[in-house]
Amino acid sequence: MSPFNTDCPTAADIRRSFLAFFKDQAGHEIVPSSPVVPHDDPTLLFCNAGMNQFKDVFLSTGTRPWSRAVDSQKCIRAGGKHNDLEDVGRDTYHHTFFEMLGNWSFGDYFKAEAIEWAWTLLTEVWGLPKDRLHVTVFAGDESDGLGPDEEAETLWLERTDIDPSHITRWDRKDNFWEMGAAGPCGPCTEIHYDSTPDGTGGPMVNLDHPDVIEVWNLVFIQFNRREDGTLVPLPSQHVDTGMGLERIVRVLQNKRSNYDTDLWTPIFDAIDRETTAATYGGVLDDPVDTAYRVIADHVRCLTVALTDGARPGPDGRGYVLRRILRRGVRMARQSLGAEEPLLCKLVPAVVQTLGDAYPEVAAAATEVADIIKAEELAFLRTLDRGLMLFAEAAAEATATGGVISGEKAFLLHDTFGFPIDLTAQMAEEQSIALDRDGYEKAMETARDRSRGETGTTDTVLALPPEVIASLEGLGHMGTDDLAKFHDGNCTGVVTGIWNGNALIKNVPKQERVAVLLNRTSFYGEQGGQIGDEGCLTFEDGGVFRVEQTVRSGSWILHIGQLESGQLGLGDHVETIVDASRHTAIETNHTATHLLNRALREVLGKDSDQRGSLVAPNRLRFDYAASKSPSLKDIEAIEKLVQEDIDADLTVNADELPLDLAMEINGARAMFGERYPDPVRVVCAGAEVNELANDPPRDAWKRLSIEFCGGSHVTSTKCIGNFLVMQEQGLAAGIRRIVAITDEEAVNTRAAGEALLAQLESMRSIESADLPAAVDDAARKLADGEFGLVHRRTADAQLDTLRKSAKAARKAAAGESKGAAIDDARALASDAIGDIMIGEITASDRESLLAGIDTASAIASDVACLLACRIEETGKVIIAAQVPKPLIARGLHAGDWVRVAAQACGGGGGGRPDAAQAGGKNPEQLPEALDAAGIYAKEVLQ
């Protein structure tokens, strides 16, 4: 290990020194940071601790090829249980994004080595004064039957030369680490640094004093907490340590604030360059300095999160990023006076501080800046108007009691894009309260309104809480619907009849009601899968037609009408599901799972599911995406899905404890969705229990594994075929795919291939026939159903063929015009008297007009009416020109062509000197020309 420069170490020096110390001195493997977006752990918004990537090792569900590791892990704490967002900018040491330096032992060394190495690094390598270091140890907990961690305390005294008075004991809250309500856990010992000017900060340990901060936490994982809360020793003991890089850099650079270190100064310099605000002064309660800290912190967080695949969006981690970004934009606008996007311009400064340690940050810088800029521009469009509304609301609140109403807060959110925490922060800055309860009520009202607009307010579709309570009071606890997973019917007993207003005893005729059963084989709509249809049959040939099936709480509602017989409470029924429709739904549901896997493999791990619909005739899948997939991407997705179908993979489903299911590498769950415990896991290609016991780390690349309560086919082979029909954007960061399966996909694919073959054959068609052929193919494309790939390919080919057809039409028009002129010249040469009438050869209107111009030029004192038949359309075109002397005698061109047009089933008119008309019956053209001649002679007599 190279010597450490204790005089002026950079953050990069400190990071390298930490990794080198544990590699060279203690044989640790240097492990890369995992992405800050935990793609394979739907329980986490972001990676928030160094241990996340080793969670499977601590749970004994995974292993590594080494027993000692050291790393610098990218972490974000901006949502969920660990959330530092509200503290950013207000103090000197909280951040949304930070780096966690850590060393790890997996069943190898334990407390003695961890404590000794930590002291050696801090005091001998980095040269920190020993009298400013304080440590805490676990004081024990009677409820867990644990005494003080005297072992750790003794080791501090024996293995180091720390001042004994600098060791203090603290309770479970501060010095006992747990992964969750159950699982691996153990005592910890924390190292704190006293940076008070006179070194008297010992009594302020663990009191959140800005000059006495925790810099390193050594966790000793030696117990397992059972589901009943009791502790048992683990067979193997582990060490998990974490040191915040930002904090130790501050200490080693002898600064009073994290923000005064070289991790931040390049970003502050960039803010100073890009705005007209004052230079950063480091004052805690100054709005400009607070804005510097908030913006610098937030752009670091955004840059790293976007680099690792997260995207701003309307929910989940996407919404957390959007909130962070909009907080920064508001600060830039209000406190620094920035009128244009600012955060995107700071990305290069972030790369300057992080790019060497994390090359992926530098590689993605341009794309990240573009994403941030687009989000900034979108918010800036409404920001000023929102700030004006907030100012009005704040003034009103000050005048009426100091509370901003929930309705105003909701308006800021709904119309101007202000997240509620942003409004709360602004209110706090002005010492004004915010009616959060009123905001939540307004939000719920909006949700109810939205549900009403989508037609889900039909009262038959849901049981109110009081109705469920009434049923439970009668001993009816819900519907057993396990039979839905097994093809077939079952017998149930009517336990309730709901008409949308009340529970009734008998099903009335010609009225839509919901029948409740104790058992059913019907699938009630949920999780994107549409409900079953069919009928309930009962004695004496009675039939209740089930038109819709939905889930309401623990009940399945069979909604429909009575077709025959009488049905009432206590009656037994046979549940008859429409089998072919149910099978089609199952087919599409399993195909949706295969599509989910294919999307992640082709478009990236951040293509998280955002919604779905599984119907008998199609499937729909909404997913996160920053841009539209290319045609090659769609083809690759179709190919992967089809490969899984052709592989004849067995589709397995089983229930697992939720915590165990969460550990299956590659298991897909919708972020933010609450899953039951146990949860049903569906896997195509492997047994669920095998995955739980020995999960392969790359399972997501090979298997479709999802938490799912829906019904599925037994094998992927049953899907038959898969075809993407549509792909479109829904909202910022959200896109949708619509697809079909089985025979419909086969037939639609065949139609597409036939159309492409037709287009290919048109490349060798005669030029004269090409325009008509192109028009025919275009009609087929417009009127037919084709897959997305075939449709887009056909569009591209048609564009090329249209250009050729246009050229062919132009050439034909030239020939037609020449023929028309020749015919017109011959007519004009033979003209006798005041009028000239005749049919000429012309394929379009332009050629006919060229002919009549020629004739009129040759015989300028003669009234001329010419006509032609258009073979392509089966119609007639008529044109006439009349010289002024003949107009004066009463012959008007508009009246003249009208007479001819009416004689062949058409109409028209125009000016006295020139006019055009058309006819529908070309076979009557001779009679039309005769009628025109008679009319002209009569007028000119």
Side-chain angles (χ1 to χ4, degrees):
M1 184 177 71
S2 58
F4 182 75
N5 181 1
T6 57
D7 292 333
C8 53
T10 66
D13 291 337
I14 295 166
R15 188 192 295 112
R16 280 193 296 267
S17 173
F18 181 87
L19 298 174
F21 174 83
F22 282 98
K23 179 187 179 188
D24 298 343
Q25 303 296 316
H28 289 62
E29 179 78 15
I30 296 179
V31 179
S33 170
S34 66
V36 79
V37 178
H39 297 282
D40 295 320
D41 190 345
T43 65
L44 283 176
L45 276 168
F46 299 101
C47 176
N48 56 29
M51 58 75 56
N52 290 153
Q53 70 166 308
F54 304 119
K55 195 173 172 183
D56 59 322
V57 180
F58 294 140
L59 290 170
S60 300
T61 60
T63 60
R64 299 293 187 275
W66 20 258
S67 60
R68 299 180 178 188
V70 61
D71 73 347
S72 180
Q73 173 64 48
K74 298 174 291 186
C75 299
I76 290 179
R77 292 184 179 174
K81 178 181 175 183
H82 300 288
N83 186 359
D84 291 337
L85 182 58
E86 302 302 327
D87 295 318
V88 171
R90 298 179 179 180
D91 62 25
T92 61
Y93 53 91
H94 279 102
H95 309 292
T96 53
F97 166 77
F98 62 95
E99 295 179 68
M100 185 71 83
L101 303 173
N103 59 289
W104 314 82
S105 167
F106 306 116
D108 192 338
Y109 62 83
F110 202 45
K111 295 180 183 180
E113 295 88 343
I115 289 171
E116 184 175 343
W117 290 333
W119 188 255
T120 300
L121 178 61
L122 290 174
T123 62
E124 295 182 18
V125 178
W126 287 347
L128 289 179
K130 299 173 183 177
D131 60 347
R132 287 185 175 269
L133 292 170
H134 296 259
V135 300
T136 62
V137 296
F138 181 48
D141 188 282
E142 290 186 5
S143 64
D144 279 334
L146 296 176
D149 190 359
E150 294 179 348
E151 179 186 6
E153 186 171 352
T154 300
L155 287 167
W156 276 112
L157 294 170
E158 293 179 351
R159 294 292 189 110
T160 76
D161 54 353
I162 190 172
D163 183 340
S165 68
H166 286 203
I167 303 174
T168 53
R169 295 181 178 184
W170 294 78
D171 61 15
R172 176 175 168 180
K173 175 179 174 293
D174 291 298
N175 279 79
F176 194 87
W177 178 88
E178 302 199 52
M179 182 179 289
C185 55
C188 61
T189 181
E190 295 178 341
I191 305 172
H192 298 252
Y193 186 79
D194 174 12
S195 60
T196 58
D198 56 2
T200 60
M204 292 179 284
V205 166
N206 269 345
L207 297 182
D208 290 329
H209 192 281
D211 286 333
V212 182
I213 58 172
E214 173 204 337
V215 293
W216 206 346
N217 187 13
L218 315 181
V219 179
F220 307 122
I221 303 174
Q222 60 189 100
F223 300 108
N224 183 54
R225 189 175 294 280
R226 292 171 168 166
E227 294 290 343
D228 62 5
T230 58
L231 295 176
V232 294
L234 285 170
S236 297
Q237 298 173 326
H238 312 292
V239 172
D240 162 6
T241 86
M243 175 193 292
L245 176 67
E246 289 74 10
R247 294 189 178 191
I248 195 62
V249 169
R250 161 189 169 178
V251 169
L252 291 173
Q253 292 184 358
N254 197 27
K255 304 294 185 181
R256 298 291 296 278
S257 164
N258 291 7
Y259 293 100
D260 293 335
T261 70
D262 65 338
L263 285 170
W264 302 92
T265 48
I267 307 176
F268 285 178
D269 290 344
I271 295 173
D272 194 19
R273 286 194 306 272
E274 298 292 344
T275 68
T276 58
T279 301
Y280 180 69
V283 180
L284 272 185
D285 57 359
D286 180 80
V288 171
D289 288 349
T290 299
Y292 265 87
R293 290 189 291 270
V294 169
I295 292 168
D297 171 272
H298 288 6
V299 76
R300 286 198 346 144
C301 178
L302 290 165
T303 299
V304 173
L306 295 174
T307 294
D308 283 351
R311 292 294 181 267
D315 52 23
R317 66 172 64 98
Y319 187 59
V320 172
L321 293 183
R322 184 161 284 166
R323 285 167 52 206
I324 290 172
L325 187 143
R326 292 184 175 183
R327 284 165 62 97
V329 173
R330 198 273 299 190
M331 284 277 193
R333 184 77 180 92
Q334 272 197 309
S335 301
L336 304 184
E339 296 185 359
E340 299 293 330
L342 171 65
L343 276 67
C344 59
K345 299 175 183 176
L346 307 180
V347 172
V350 177
V351 173
Q352 183 181 340
T353 63
L354 297 177
D356 288 342
Y358 308 107
E360 65 273 16
V361 172
T366 300
E367 181 184 5
V368 166
D370 289 344
I371 295 170
I372 293 175
K373 183 177 182 179
E375 285 283 322
E376 287 188 272
L377 287 170
F379 188 44
L380 283 169
R381 293 189 191 104
T382 60
L383 177 59
D384 285 340
R385 284 180 292 157
L387 291 174
M388 290 174 60
L389 176 64
F390 177 83
E392 293 171 5
E396 180 182 325
T398 302
T400 59
V403 179
I404 293 177
S405 70
E407 290 77 9
K408 287 287 175 64
F410 175 73
L411 181 61
L412 281 166
H413 162 80
D414 190 49
T415 305
F416 301 105
F418 281 43
I420 185 60
D421 61 314
L422 176 57
T423 302
Q425 180 188 32
M426 294 165 62
E428 184 181 340
E429 290 170 0
Q430 299 191 28
S431 301
I432 300 172
L434 176 66
D435 181 8
R436 284 265 193 169
D437 291 340
Y439 167 81
E440 293 298 339
K441 288 179 182 177
M443 179 69 82
E444 188 57 36
T445 299
R447 292 192 186 105
D448 290 342
R449 189 184 309 117
S450 176
R451 285 191 285 266
E453 289 170 355
T454 56
T456 56
T457 53
D458 186 344
T459 54
V460 179
L461 295 177
L463 298 175
E466 60 272 19
V467 171
I468 293 176
S470 174
L471 290 165
E472 291 177 349
L474 297 172
H476 304 312
M477 306 310 292
T479 306
D480 176 358
D481 63 344
L482 288 177
K484 69 188 177 185
F485 295 127
H486 310 287
D487 294 337
N489 308 318
C490 73
T491 301
V493 177
V494 178
T495 54
I497 302 167
W498 169 246
N499 68 2
N501 297 307
L503 290 171
I504 55 179
K505 293 184 178 180
N506 296 289
V507 176
K509 292 184 178 179
Q510 297 182 337
E511 184 176 334
R512 190 165 178 264
V513 299
V515 174
L516 283 62
L517 306 175
N518 68 332
R519 292 184 69 241
T520 187
S521 56
F522 279 75
Y523 183 93
E525 180 173 341
Q526 69 171 139
Q529 180 174 331
I530 200 166
D532 282 330
E533 296 177 3
C535 62
L536 308 178
T537 60
F538 44 95
E539 61 181 6
D540 298 328
V543 175
F544 178 89
R545 180 63 55 189
V546 180
E547 302 163 350
Q548 187 176 6
T549 315
V550 299
R551 174 176 287 276
S552 182
S554 58
W555 292 91
I556 301 300
L557 279 57
H558 307 77
I559 300 165
Q561 297 188 52
L562 188 66
E563 286 191 353
S564 62
Q566 296 180 343
L567 183 62
L569 292 177
D571 289 347
H572 288 71
V573 299
E574 188 79 8
T575 63
I576 311 295
V577 175
D578 183 333
S580 61
R581 182 178 181 277
H582 180 81
T583 299
I585 293 171
E586 288 185 329
T587 297
N588 285 336
H589 199 157
T590 305
T592 302
H593 284 214
L594 301 184
L595 171 61
N596 193 357
R597 186 194 78 81
L599 276 169
R600 295 186 73 216
E601 184 162 341
V602 174
L603 302 183
K605 285 178 149 186
D606 59 329
S607 303
D608 294 321
Q609 181 176 351
R610 287 291 184 263
S612 65
L613 173 70
V614 181
N617 61 335
R618 71 191 188 286
L619 63 93
R620 190 181 75 202
F621 191 86
D622 301 341
Y623 64 101
S626 60
K627 61 181 181 179
S628 60
S630 67
L631 199 60
K632 286 186 177 180
D633 290 335
I634 297 296
E635 289 178 311
I637 290 165
E638 287 184 336
K639 183 173 182 289
L640 282 173
V641 174
Q642 195 62 49
E643 286 175 353
D644 283 347
I645 292 170
D646 296 340
D648 196 8
L649 303 173
T650 301
V651 181
N652 300 291
D654 210 340
E655 287 192 341
L656 294 176
L658 184 59
D659 58 349
L660 182 59
M662 288 292 189
E663 298 311 314
I664 297 178
N665 191 281
R668 304 299 296 154
M670 278 192 66
F671 186 84
E673 187 80 13
R674 291 186 178 181
Y675 290 96
D677 191 2
V679 65
R680 188 165 182 265
V681 181
V682 176
C683 176
E687 292 288 344
V688 171
N689 281 315
E690 290 178 4
L691 290 172
N693 294 328
D694 185 23
R697 290 187 58 76
D698 63 344
W700 71 271
K701 292 183 178 180
R702 301 184 289 104
L703 304 170
S704 164
I705 314 165
E706 296 194 32
F707 296 174
C708 178
S711 56
H712 292 268
V713 294
T714 57
S715 167
T716 58
K717 193 75 172 178
C718 301
I719 300 170
N721 216 289
F722 176 86
L723 188 65
V724 173
M725 298 296 290
Q726 299 175 30
E727 199 286 331
Q728 65 190 77
L730 289 185
I734 307 294
R735 301 195 66 81
R736 170 174 291 174
I737 281 179
V738 177
I740 56 176
T741 60
D742 206 20
E743 285 302 312
E744 186 178 1
V746 172
N747 295 336
T748 305
R749 189 185 299 278
E753 290 171 351
L755 177 61
L756 292 182
Q758 177 183 343
L759 293 172
E760 181 63 30
S761 68
M762 287 163 56
R763 295 179 184 276
S764 58
I765 201 169
E766 292 290 336
S767 296
D769 299 329
L770 186 58
V774 168
D775 290 343
D776 177 63
R779 280 193 296 270
K780 285 184 180 179
L781 183 61
D783 298 339
E785 288 289 328
F786 302 100
L788 180 64
V789 172
H790 284 157
R791 180 173 291 280
R792 289 187 182 175
T793 304
D795 269 334
Q797 292 185 12
L798 264 175
D799 282 343
T800 301
L801 289 167
R802 282 190 183 101
K803 293 176 183 177
S804 300
K806 184 177 180 180
R809 281 192 175 99
K810 187 174 182 180
E815 294 177 3
S816 172
K817 189 176 292 185
I821 290 172
D822 289 344
D823 288 354
R825 186 178 288 115
L827 281 171
S829 299
D830 298 334
I832 302 173
D834 295 329
I835 61 174
M836 175 173 54
I837 298 172
E839 177 182 356
I840 65 174
T841 302
S843 61
D844 53 41
R845 187 179 304 275
E846 294 299 321
S847 298
L848 177 66
L849 295 178
I852 201 166
D853 286 343
T854 299
S856 295
I858 295 172
S860 57
D861 57 345
V862 174
C864 179
L865 185 148
L866 300 180
C868 67
R869 310 178 199 221
I870 308 300
E871 292 185 6
E872 284 186 21
T873 61
K875 294 181 180 179
V876 171
I877 301 176
I878 304 167
Q881 291 184 7
V882 180
K884 288 182 180 180
L886 297 183
I887 294 174
R889 291 171 58 185
L891 183 62
H892 288 192
D895 298 333
W896 197 17
V897 296
R898 187 178 300 112
V899 169
Q902 289 174 347
C904 58
R911 303 193 314 268
D913 62 326
Q916 300 174 35
K920 298 178 181 177
N921 304 316
E923 68 277 6
Q924 294 174 348
L925 181 56
E927 291 84 351
L929 296 177
D930 289 343
I934 294 170
Y935 173 80
K937 289 176 181 177
E938 290 177 350
V939 170
L940 294 174
Q941 280 182 349

